[in-house]
Amino acid sequence: MSLNNSSNVFLDSTPSNTNRFQVNVINESHESSAAMNDNADPPHYEETSFGDEGQNRFRISFRPGNQECYDNFLQTGETAKTDASFHAYDSHTNTYYLQTFGHNTVDAVPKIEYYRNTGSVSGPKVNRPSLLDIHEQLAKNVSVAPGSADVVANGEGTPGDEQAENKGEDQAGAVKFGWVKGVLVRCMLNIWGVMLFIRLSWIVGEAGIGLGVLIILLSTMVTSITGLSTSAIATNGFVRGGGAYYLISRSLGPEFGGSIGLIFAFANAVAVAMYVVGFAETVVDLLKETDSMMVDPTNDIRIIGSITVVILLGISVAGMEWEAKAQVILLIILLIAIANFFIGTVIPSNNEKRARGFFNYQASIFAENFGPSFTKGEGFFSVFAIFFPAATGILAGANISGDLEDPQDAIPKGTMLAIFITTVAYLGVAICVGACVVRDATGSVNDTIISGMNCNGSAACGLGYDFSRCRHEPCQYGLMNNFQVMSMVSGFGPLITAGIFSATLSSALASLVSAPKVFQALCKDNIYKALQFFAKGYGKNNEPLRGYFLTFVIAMAFILIAELNTIAPIISNFFLASYALINFSCFHASYAKSPGWRPAYGIYNMWVSLFGAVLCCAVMFVINWWAAVITYVIEFFLYIYVTYKKPDVNWGSSTQALSYMSALDNALELTTVEDHVKNFRPQCIVLTGGPMTRPALLDITHAFTKNSGLCICCEVFVGPRKLCVKEMNSGMAKKQAWLIKNKIKAFYAAVAADCFRDGVRSLLQASGLGRMKPNTLVIGYKKNWRKAPLTEIENYVGIIHDAFDFEIGVVIVRISQGFDISQVLQVQEELEKLEQERLALEATIKDNESEEGNGGIRGLFKKAGKLNITKPTPKKDSSINTIQSMHVGEFNQKLVEASTQFKKKQGKGTIDVWWLFDDGGLILLIPYILTLRKKWKDCKLRIYVGGKINRIEEEKIAMASLLSKFRIKFADIHVIGDINVKPNKESWKVFEEMIEPYCLHESCKDLTTAEKLKRETPWKITDAELEAVKEKSYRQVRLNELLQEHSRAANLIVLSLPVARKGSISDWLYMAWLEILTKNLPPVLLVRGNHKNVLTFYS
């Protein structure tokens, strides 16, 4: 099937070598439009071939010569950036309609630029069309600036992306390394340390060839598992600079990454000193042999070490390119030295070397050296502890991840190959030296076997030498005694010395580069704010020069201290702690089952990674238990510090994924368990609107839900759906962030609805999850109900009815000043804007002063004078409760103070609970929880209940017994026996005047007029209704008198909320009840539970 067979197709006759696959567009030029108007034919499209004649499958048509480009795209995933590249938007005109696959559509095809981070150095981020762009109705008259469509079409993105593009251009000349020079060479040089030349022979002598090989393989197993974990993490997304720190922090979060990053950078800095001192010691040994000492051995080490570290610093500061060249030269020297050893093993030994224990390859020596022969104080684990540091260094390539061309490809390939090559070399050297050299030798050419002497059965004895006296007195040669065995065996001894120099200097150079790179990445993330100074980079490679000098100072300090034998085990454990966390990161990311965990390197297993983490921790204690303890203590301290500081970063760590999984599993598990009264806790929907607009309402609710129940701050947006949804979506994150910033443990939820009641009804039904569903509605008292429109009163009372219908408890909170401080916030916001404008204008004036001098800015000063710019006063606090600079008339000071009253510590006082009606116990549970809070703990509970005058003492004893069974402490119990007494005339007159505007007074009118008024104003209070509920009205008025008498001085009053029977009590009468009940009182909580038990005295 072909989309178009017309001859009028716009085909390119010339082959293009830039596109991967070609998708052409409609020609919408003016000439083409005119032609189309003349011609009745439909628009013609290029044949993109979505189907074939014989097969109904998708097929891409390539332009001539484009197949190779497309294949390259499949391999690299990157686009060729040229003028003819395929773009998500593509338009040749200034029309609004953009083109995709030759069709008029704003919808875009997949493109890598959409998935980049803002500020990406690998290319600009382009914003795809939003869902609104392709979902909303398309505007017919859209004027587009000339060329604007082309700008988007050509992937130039938004203006904000220019910085990212410029940054990419600035770093275009940066030196980037491939996997060989960047990872393989560095890892091999770092792994092949001085241990290869001066300790491996001793390890074989102690442990034997068999256990020696096992020690090497066990060490390799640790590093190989870590290498696999590193490879998996490195291929799970783009890797920036920072090495081990970057991998751990992006996987486990800033707490683990920040703690290990700092000690890892420090370990690398001290490792520079260790390797340089190793080099200096070798040089000093040579000076001793030639009697050329400068001062004394210790000071000579300091002098040579200081000079060496200065030279290495110069190489590093010169740039990564020079450092890489130096590394290659050192690797060549090292390879020659190793080859020199293997060549020496096959060169026939002379008498001098035989006397020192070297006999070339001998089966008898191999058999004798195969088993262990530990000397006093040594064992398998002590020998393993000495060798293991020789296997470390596998992160040398990952540590410069920011300088690699393709870290995702280079790190796995280079690291694993380096581990394999170095392991083979270690095994080869161990086996060869064990097959050629005996354990003990005297070094004397005269210790040969004379005919007739009794041979002791040793391999040396069989080869004509008697080294038996080494059993009784110390000898200087052989595997057990001579650390220079490799130099003796080699074909040319000085090359081994050169190899030792190369191994030490290369490791020192790698650590000198790694430490600043890791430290810079750590500082850039601003986890430790005091270290921000070291984040700055210089030059095209963003070199951390400040980090280099800090590393230099640390290394120089430890070189001068020269007590590295003590610090060395701690440094080894620092590295091992990093390995353990990398392995744990891989396990944790796999275990969390996050969809974002998709490593391209699939040769790993989560349980193997976990085993590797445990193994690393075990090895830490094997090497040195006290150093392991110190490492864990330091890491734990840094972890606590970063956790406490809570850096403002979000890296999508596996810790977040696991938290989500845990929360989901727990929520699902809760649904399988029936609710029990002992586990009841208030779970509240609070109608705060925006949480910052009614802080007092939120504070009092948070006081009894914090750490005990669910709290959801809800807002209903009423109005046109499109505008409401847009406003709602734009503020969701901001309002939740406000809750977090103010340390309020609550969620924010919002709905858009046609009316307020519908929105609340939706929230009451749909909020929550499983067992974590709201059971209590908290609303503020509607203070302005007398001036409010009818619909607002109907909605307000209606949501109370709805809550009761859904069997949800209701709490109405009243304070004297009301809750809404939105006007104060608005004034504050306007003042802040004016302040910002003033500061901006002052900055402009200063800039012009510096550029044009004093004479050229008179106009600006005149303009500033007109704006009445005054000297800025220092801003102490931007919070609402400290707004001191505003004029008193600009806002209600009492309202501001009232909005913070529940934030303050409540002094010694009382919470008076008027438990008039049994609602299941919610009215008692809420004040009890309040007394457990720090701010309310000094308040005592006073319980007020209704009763008969002739049974006051009995009912008081009964209530005390009930409260003691509930285990609720109280200060006093009052039984009120005169609740049903009529209120005094003054109080009743106030109530009658209150409801007068809302009464129908139909009894005073004729029947026809009365019926007409009922139809026109059905919301009014009828005389019949007033008469029917007169006793209830009396009770509300009388209760206010009693409250004034008993609880006027209380810190808080908790009172049973009267229930209005649906269809019997009008909305205005109910509001009048609430008004008269709570009038002129301290803060009041009107509480009504859902009449299900929330308290129990059973265990």
Side-chain angles (χ1 to χ4, degrees):
M1 180 183 74
S2 176
L3 291 178
N4 180 28
N5 292 322
S6 169
S7 59
N8 255 342
V9 222
F10 298 94
L11 290 173
D12 248 350
S13 57
T14 58
S16 168
N17 57 357
T18 54
N19 278 1
R20 295 165 299 173
F21 59 95
Q22 183 63 34
V23 178
N24 269 22
V25 298
I26 314 170
N27 191 327
E28 284 191 346
S29 63
H30 298 291
E31 296 82 4
S32 176
S33 301
M36 288 177 67
N37 290 335
D38 295 339
N39 193 349
D41 289 342
H44 300 299
Y45 300 87
E46 181 181 22
E47 185 179 14
T48 52
S49 298
F50 290 117
D52 278 342
E53 292 288 1
Q55 298 179 350
N56 195 14
R57 295 182 180 178
F58 178 80
R59 178 176 66 82
I60 297 171
S61 289
F62 297 98
R63 286 191 175 187
N66 284 344
Q67 177 73 46
E68 185 179 349
C69 265
Y70 180 67
D71 292 339
N72 184 58
F73 161 74
L74 290 177
Q75 293 172 6
T76 64
E78 287 284 349
T79 61
K81 295 182 181 177
T82 61
D83 293 337
S85 295
F86 170 69
H87 297 291
Y89 299 145
D90 203 352
S91 174
H92 294 287
T93 68
N94 298 331
T95 60
Y96 179 81
Y97 299 96
L98 305 178
Q99 313 302 321
T100 303
F101 290 129
H103 294 280
N104 285 342
T105 175
V106 180
D107 215 351
V109 295
K111 188 177 183 184
I112 192 171
E113 283 79 1
Y114 295 139
Y115 297 92
R116 288 197 175 105
N117 287 333
T118 303
S120 171
V121 297
S122 58
K125 173 181 171 59
V126 178
N127 294 322
R128 69 172 62 81
S130 69
L131 192 59
L132 288 175
D133 292 337
I134 61 174
H135 182 241
E136 290 295 327
Q137 186 175 0
L138 195 62
K140 292 183 178 178
N141 300 317
V142 179
S143 59
V144 182
S148 61
D150 290 332
V151 169
V152 182
N154 291 325
E156 293 180 20
T158 61
D161 293 320
E162 288 179 14
Q163 296 176 355
E165 264 191 276
N166 293 338
K167 190 175 179 182
E169 289 173 8
D170 291 342
Q171 296 194 352
V175 177
K176 297 290 183 180
F177 302 111
W179 71 274
V180 175
K181 192 184 280 191
V183 182
L184 180 65
V185 170
R186 292 174 187 278
C187 288
M188 287 170 63
L189 283 169
N190 233 24
I191 296 171
W192 277 332
V194 71
M195 197 73 67
L196 174 66
F197 297 102
I198 62 176
R199 285 292 186 276
L200 189 56
S201 58
W202 175 85
I203 287 166
V204 173
E206 289 283 348
I209 297 173
L211 290 182
V213 168
L214 185 62
I215 287 171
I216 295 170
L217 291 178
L218 185 60
S219 303
T220 301
M221 181 170 67
V222 175
T223 56
S224 297
I225 294 172
T226 307
L228 292 174
S229 299
T230 304
S231 301
I233 299 172
T235 57
N236 189 55
F238 184 75
V239 178
R240 297 184 186 275
Y245 159 72
Y246 185 88
L247 298 178
I248 294 171
S249 62
R250 268 50 175 184
S251 294
L252 290 179
E255 295 84 7
F256 282 104
S259 58
I260 202 66
L262 197 59
I263 64 174
F264 186 73
F266 177 76
N268 272 288
V270 179
V272 175
M274 288 176 57
Y275 294 129
V276 167
V277 167
F279 167 77
E281 284 177 348
T282 308
V283 175
V284 168
D285 288 341
L286 292 175
L287 292 176
K288 283 181 182 177
E289 292 178 6
T290 58
D291 197 20
S292 303
M293 299 290 293
M294 290 178 283
V295 186
D296 56 68
T298 301
N299 284 312
D300 281 6
I301 289 173
R302 289 171 176 166
I303 294 168
I304 295 168
S306 300
I307 296 170
T308 305
V309 80
V310 169
I311 295 170
L312 293 178
L313 177 67
I315 295 172
S316 301
V317 171
M320 289 295 294
E321 196 170 1
W322 285 96
E323 188 266 350
K325 289 176 180 177
Q327 292 278 29
V328 171
I329 294 170
L330 291 173
L331 178 64
I332 293 171
I333 295 171
L334 195 58
L335 290 173
I336 292 172
I338 295 171
N340 176 47
F341 164 76
F342 286 113
I343 291 170
T345 59
V346 296
I347 295 175
S349 177
N350 54 33
N351 290 335
E352 184 181 358
K353 288 185 177 182
R354 286 194 188 96
R356 295 182 178 183
F358 172 51
F359 295 94
N360 296 111
Y361 293 105
Q362 301 291 337
S364 59
I365 296 177
F366 181 88
E368 185 179 72
N369 289 343
F370 190 82
S373 179
F374 294 113
T375 54
K376 186 178 180 180
E378 299 294 348
F380 177 81
F381 288 109
S382 64
V383 174
F384 173 80
I386 290 170
F387 173 78
F388 184 80
T392 60
I394 60 171
L395 296 179
N399 287 340
I400 63 160
S401 51
D403 296 296
L404 300 175
E405 283 181 3
D406 184 5
Q408 291 180 289
D409 178 66
I411 291 174
K413 193 186 295 184
T415 303
M416 298 312 296
L417 187 58
I419 292 172
F420 175 75
I421 292 173
T422 52
T423 301
V424 169
Y426 276 129
L427 290 173
V429 170
I431 293 171
C432 289
V433 79
C436 296
V437 184
V438 296
R439 282 192 166 101
D440 295 297
T442 59
S444 173
V445 293
N446 297 322
D447 288 338
T448 55
I449 299 295
I450 303 171
S451 56
M453 285 183 64
N454 184 23
C455 187
N456 59 11
S458 67
C461 186
L463 295 169
Y465 279 82
D466 179 19
F467 299 142
S468 56
R469 64 187 172 98
C470 291
R471 296 179 182 178
H472 313 292
E473 59 182 63
C475 293
Q476 295 183 355
Y477 297 98
L479 295 176
M480 306 280 279
N481 312 301
N482 184 13
F483 291 152
Q484 303 296 329
V485 166
M486 283 192 69
S487 181
M488 177 192 68
V489 172
S490 64
F492 184 61
L495 279 178
I496 299 298
T497 304
I500 294 172
F501 288 173
S502 174
T504 51
L505 292 177
S506 63
S507 297
L509 195 54
S511 297
L512 186 57
V513 170
S514 297
K517 294 283 184 183
V518 173
F519 195 58
Q520 183 187 34
L522 177 68
C523 296
K524 275 184 177 179
D525 289 334
N526 205 19
I527 291 177
Y528 302 101
K529 295 187 183 297
L531 303 177
Q532 183 66 21
F533 174 78
F534 296 98
K536 184 175 176 58
Y538 296 87
K540 60 184 181 181
N541 265 46
N542 197 32
E543 294 289 350
L545 297 186
R546 295 174 179 178
Y548 280 130
F549 285 105
L550 178 64
T551 305
F552 168 76
V553 170
I554 293 172
M556 186 66 79
F558 279 95
I559 288 170
L560 296 178
I561 291 170
E563 290 292 335
L564 293 176
N565 289 337
T566 305
I567 199 75
I570 300 176
I571 301 306
S572 296
N573 276 338
F574 280 0
F575 286 124
L576 273 169
S578 304
Y579 295 173
L581 276 181
I582 287 175
N583 283 311
F584 185 72
S585 298
C586 185
F587 162 76
H588 200 266
S590 303
Y591 184 74
K593 297 176 183 176
S594 171
W597 175 248
R598 302 184 302 274
Y601 189 84
I603 310 173
Y604 77 98
N605 180 277
M606 60 184 286
W607 300 111
V608 172
S609 295
L610 179 62
F611 173 71
V614 173
L615 202 58
C616 288
C617 294
V619 171
M620 288 174 69
F621 282 95
V622 166
I623 289 178
N624 193 300
W625 69 267
W626 58 263
V629 171
I630 290 174
T631 303
Y632 284 124
V633 168
I634 293 173
E635 188 175 335
F636 179 73
F637 171 77
L638 293 173
Y639 178 88
I640 295 298
Y641 173 81
V642 177
T643 304
Y644 174 75
K645 287 295 183 180
K646 291 183 181 176
D648 186 18
V649 294
N650 182 13
W651 296 322
S653 66
S654 60
T655 307
Q656 296 171 354
L658 198 62
S659 297
Y660 174 83
M661 287 293 296
S662 178
L664 184 61
D665 290 341
N666 290 336
L668 289 170
E669 191 174 345
L670 273 176
T671 60
T672 64
V673 181
E674 289 295 325
D675 285 332
H676 195 281
V677 63
K678 285 196 295 185
N679 292 324
F680 177 87
R681 56 197 66 217
Q683 302 194 128
C684 301
I685 277 186
V686 196
L687 298 185
T688 57
M692 62 283 290
T693 60
R694 291 176 178 82
L697 181 61
L698 180 56
D699 289 338
I700 187 63
T701 309
H702 189 243
F704 60 81
T705 59
K706 181 183 180 182
N707 296 330
S708 64
L710 178 69
C711 182
I712 306 176
C713 303
C714 295
E715 185 171 9
V716 179
F717 290 86
V718 179
R721 181 181 178 82
K722 183 177 179 180
L723 295 176
C724 287
V725 169
K726 185 176 181 181
E727 183 183 357
M728 180 179 72
N729 290 341
S730 63
M732 292 281 279
K734 178 184 176 183
K735 290 167 184 174
Q736 184 65 55
W738 184 90
L739 292 170
I740 296 170
K741 181 182 178 182
N742 288 272
K743 298 180 180 178
I744 296 173
K745 297 184 177 181
F747 299 96
Y748 172 76
V751 293
D754 294 330
C755 74
F756 181 71
R757 185 176 179 182
D758 287 345
V760 176
R761 192 183 286 129
S762 299
L763 288 166
L764 291 173
Q765 294 178 89
S767 296
L769 187 69
R771 296 285 180 204
M772 294 185 294
K773 288 185 73 69
N775 52 35
T776 307
L777 171 66
V778 181
I779 57 176
Y781 176 70
K782 192 167 184 61
K783 189 182 177 185
N784 66 339
W785 65 275
R786 298 188 214 187
K787 299 178 181 178
L790 173 64
T791 53
E792 288 189 12
I793 302 301
E794 289 177 343
N795 283 334
Y796 185 81
V797 178
I799 63 174
I800 298 174
H801 288 308
D802 292 337
F804 291 148
D805 288 342
F806 297 134
E807 294 188 340
I808 290 175
V810 175
V811 177
I812 300 177
V813 187
R814 180 173 186 178
I815 59 175
S816 58
Q817 297 298 322
F819 293 104
D820 191 358
I821 62 166
S822 55
Q823 289 183 347
V824 177
L825 294 176
Q826 188 176 355
V827 171
Q828 182 187 359
E829 188 177 348
E830 288 174 359
L831 287 176
E832 286 178 353
K833 284 182 180 178
L834 287 172
E835 178 72 7
Q836 289 174 0
E837 289 175 4
R838 186 186 64 75
L839 293 173
L841 184 57
E842 284 189 350
T844 305
I845 291 171
K846 287 180 181 178
D847 290 343
N848 280 277
E849 279 181 343
S850 60
E851 289 177 7
E852 302 175 16
N854 295 331
I857 57 167
R858 290 174 185 170
L860 278 173
F861 275 115
K862 288 179 183 176
K863 195 179 290 185
K866 289 178 183 177
L867 289 170
N868 193 22
I869 295 176
T870 58
K871 188 175 180 180
T873 56
K875 192 175 181 185
K876 295 180 181 178
D877 195 352
S878 62
S879 61
I880 300 160
N881 59 344
T882 56
I883 306 173
Q884 302 296 333
S885 59
M886 298 185 193
H887 192 272
V888 176
E890 293 180 2
F891 69 98
N892 188 334
Q893 185 67 33
K894 290 183 179 179
L895 176 61
V896 174
E897 290 174 358
S899 70
T900 62
Q901 62 181 306
F902 297 126
K903 292 182 184 292
K904 302 171 185 175
K905 183 175 176 61
Q906 307 295 315
K908 289 185 178 180
T910 62
I911 298 176
D912 288 359
V913 182
W914 289 70
W915 194 7
L916 304 178
F917 307 103
D918 196 329
D919 62 351
L922 183 64
I923 190 174
L924 199 58
L925 182 62
I926 287 176
Y928 166 72
I929 295 173
L930 285 176
T931 59
L932 301 178
R933 306 305 185 200
K934 189 184 293 184
K935 291 171 184 171
W936 293 87
K937 68 179 182 179
D938 293 333
C939 294
K940 306 298 182 183
L941 289 184
R942 293 195 303 186
I943 312 298
Y944 292 82
V945 294
K948 296 178 181 179
I949 296 178
N950 59 349
R951 285 181 52 84
I952 286 179
E953 286 303 319
E954 291 88 338
E955 293 188 6
K956 189 173 183 178
I957 292 170
M959 179 54 62
S961 174
L962 179 61
L963 292 175
S964 63
K965 287 182 179 179
F966 285 147
R967 302 171 304 283
I968 291 178
K969 295 180 180 179
F970 57 91
D972 201 0
I973 296 176
H974 298 271
V975 179
I976 309 297
D978 54 351
I979 291 178
N980 290 325
V981 174
K982 283 187 178 181
N984 62 50
K985 291 181 180 180
E986 290 78 10
S987 300
W988 182 249
K989 187 178 179 181
V990 170
F991 178 74
E992 286 182 329
E993 290 174 353
M994 186 186 299
I995 63 173
E996 175 61 30
Y998 315 108
C999 290
L1000 189 65
H1001 296 302
E1002 77 279 7
S1003 59
C1004 303
K1005 300 177 177 62
D1006 59 82
L1007 188 62
T1008 306
T1009 306
E1011 290 297 326
K1012 183 181 178 183
L1013 287 173
K1014 283 182 181 180
R1015 288 195 302 270
E1016 290 176 352
T1017 55
W1019 49 271
K1020 283 200 170 184
I1021 307 168
T1022 64
D1023 293 340
E1025 179 187 350
L1026 272 177
E1027 189 62 32
V1029 295
K1030 194 169 187 177
E1031 292 298 324
K1032 289 187 178 180
S1033 298
Y1034 280 156
R1035 187 190 305 143
Q1036 313 311 323
V1037 180
R1038 175 60 183 160
L1039 277 171
N1040 182 259
E1041 293 176 348
L1042 293 169
L1043 286 163
Q1044 298 282 353
E1045 179 184 346
H1046 294 278
S1047 299
R1048 182 79 180 182
N1051 294 58
L1052 181 69
I1053 299 172
V1054 184
L1055 176 65
S1056 292
L1057 172 69
V1059 177
R1061 191 177 295 277
K1062 287 194 295 184
S1064 301
I1065 308 296
S1066 61
D1067 296 342
W1068 295 97
L1069 179 58
Y1070 186 63
M1071 292 304 300
W1073 282 0
L1074 299 183
E1075 175 70 24
I1076 198 66
L1077 183 60
T1078 58
K1079 187 178 179 65
N1080 298 327
L1081 289 172
V1084 178
L1085 266 63
L1086 293 165
V1087 179
R1088 176 69 67 158
N1090 62 0
H1091 286 243
K1092 294 180 180 178
N1093 287 350
V1094 301
L1095 295 173
T1096 182
F1097 43 76
Y1098 294 107
S1099 58

